[in-house]
Amino acid sequence: MSDAKSAEDRQRRNMPASLGGGAEPAAAPDPPADLSDVLRGQWVGLWSSPVAALMDPVSDLPAVVRLFELYELADRVQAQLAAAAEVDSGLVGARVRLASEIRLAEGQLGLSPRARLALGVALVAGQKAASLDDLADDADE
């Protein structure tokens, strides 16, 4: 006879919390005025996604606005690079710095799977049906 709990009674304490279980996200705040149509669509997409449940539309709004301003600036620099007859090392350097700043901001806002994992959160759509630990526990019984 085993003292192990049944699979239904187990509680995983080291698994990330789940988002996207059906809670309605708040309405998207107005995007910055100078965003392109593509970035406006991405703005609405972000604020209507399960990731928006991680963000406070008041206190996190300035950071999200900065991120989208960086996206817009990076798009402009990229367009200048594409139109340049010769490689402009100043523009290349600016584009690399912008990419780095964008990655940092995305990470701080939990906009990548790794960043969400570091925050202890997983999206329901991205979760596996069972973790390897769960399968191993079930095999032990």
Side-chain angles (χ1 to χ4, degrees):
M1 185 149 147
S2 172
D3 290 335
K5 289 184 180 180
S6 68
E8 298 83 34
D9 293 333
R10 288 188 207 134
Q11 292 183 353
R12 300 291 310 201
R13 291 182 180 23
N14 62 342
M15 296 296 288
S18 297
L19 290 178
E24 285 294 317
D30 290 334
D34 58 344
L35 288 185
S36 68
D37 290 341
V38 169
L39 286 174
R40 283 179 177 278
Q42 291 175 358
W43 175 274
V44 172
L46 170 65
W47 287 103
S48 61
S49 73
V51 173
L54 291 173
M55 295 185 289
D56 176 10
V58 176
S59 64
D60 291 332
L61 184 60
V64 177
V65 167
R66 278 192 305 276
L67 173 62
F68 275 80
E69 288 170 344
L70 286 170
Y71 286 150
E72 185 69 38
L73 185 56
D75 286 351
R76 285 190 226 146
V77 169
Q78 189 63 42
Q80 288 179 352
L81 277 169
E86 295 181 14
V87 175
D88 181 339
S89 62
L91 284 176
V92 171
R95 184 63 182 102
V96 169
R97 286 189 301 277
L98 283 166
S100 177
E101 288 296 320
I102 287 169
R103 277 192 307 276
L104 285 171
E106 289 171 342
Q108 290 174 338
L109 291 168
L111 300 183
S112 72
R114 179 177 284 236
R116 287 188 294 274
L117 186 60
L119 293 171
V121 178
L123 297 179
V124 170
Q127 288 183 312
K128 295 180 181 175
S131 72
L132 290 177
D133 288 339
D134 290 338
L135 294 174
D137 289 345
D138 291 343
D140 287 342
E141 294 178 357

